Amino acid sequence: MRISKILERAKAGEQLSTQELVDLLSITDKNELQALYDCAYAIKEREVGTVAYFRGIIECSNICIKDCYYCGIRKSNRAVERFEMDEDEIFKEAVWAYKAEYGSCVIQSGERQDEEYISMIERVVKRIREATHGKLGITLSLGEQSEAVYRRWREAGAHRYLLRIETSNPELYAKFHPKDHLFETRKECLAALRRTGYQVGTGVMMGLPGQTMEDLVEDLLFLKRMDVDMVGMGPYIPHSDTPMGQEVRPYTDEQKKHALVLGLKMIAVTRIVLKDINIAAATALQALEYTGREQGLLCGANVIMPNVTETDYRPKYKLYDDKPCTDENSSLCRGCLSKRIKGIGETVGFGEWGDAPHFYKRTAK
Ligand code: SAH
Ligand code: SF4
């Protein structure tokens, strides 16, 4: 009863209290869960429509100078065989995404701050922009950089940037990162990205050890205060060769289910609160259940990031255990994803940038 009243108010566009948001995230009843997802879907339909946009993700290197305790490609993981694509390989994959009519590509890698890498990215972004006549959207997800570097890449032609805050609780942030990875720096980077004119996407991981529903609601309110255009968030999944993964241990089937539902609830509540932004159904959802990303679309997400990385490199870019599609090639990914999306009654926004209505409203002010 209480939940249906909250959802009615949400649908009518009323602002929900912190406690109400906690209540939504705490739902366990099957019918109430479905009602939450349906409410989020109705808001998505009204605010952004039922077109799913593809962003072809190129995971171009697993070399990283950082040591985040949760991540499989952290600097101290000696079990990882490191790889680095050259400029031509990245370019080739971006052109593949363009020809496949993906509206955008995302270039993602471990973090590097050396000039050689920075200028390689700058060159390749320029080349992609020129070769696709500015039609392929270029998103970067290359970690923390100086404002000057963000500006160089922006001027080269990138227009969106993904950098998760991971958690908006500074104490949790400190628990999951080494001492020299500062929460404040992360926040400053997000501000610098905004100043340099990017559409900024951020997000968090859900299900971190010690994280509460209240923390997740605070995360949502953080995203709201940041006035973001895009959110990319996903469940935390242990990686066995990491300090956190050693403590948490691989998920049992029960834990996987729980993590998936929490991820879906968080997407739904994000749609309810932030309404007209783009929300990505993270690949991590699919690691928990094969149809996880489609379920994400049905709970309010409207962006999917199919992998366009060369198949040989994929197993080496393992941020967490059970990462899906590591043995499929890009055209298989395109085919099976499109089919699955049509299967849930949505269309794919082929060839479109698919910017969030929020971005247009914000910039028209
Ligand atoms: N180095 C860049 C981009 C690659 S990591 C960066 O850190 O921004 C991209 C995202 O992967 C991170 O933001 C983190 O939220 C996510 N990630 C890393 N390890 C993960 C894990 N074990 N489970 C789920 N997501 C993880
Ligand atoms: Fe590096 Fe990003 Fe992984 Fe942190 S999350 S270790 S910055 S790749």
Side-chain angles (χ1 to χ4, degrees), residues 13-42:
E14 285 180 41
Q15 207 172 325
L16 303 182
S17 68
T18 303
Q19 185 54 50
E20 287 172 321
L21 296 173
V22 170
D23 290 349
L24 292 182
L25 284 179
S26 309
I27 293 177
T28 52
D29 177 82
K30 228 171 130 198
N31 294 328
E32 286 182 346
L33 265 183
Q34 194 56 51
L36 169 68
Y37 299 157
D38 291 347
C39 172
Y41 198 78

Side-chain angles (χ1 to χ4, degrees), residues 70-71 108-110 141 164 166 205 235-237 317 319-320:
Y70 41 84
C71 178
Q108 186 180 81
S109 73
S141 177
R164 287 185 178 171
E166 314 295 0
M205 280 184 285
Y236 160 67
I237 302 176
Y317 196 85
L319 307 177
Y320 43 82

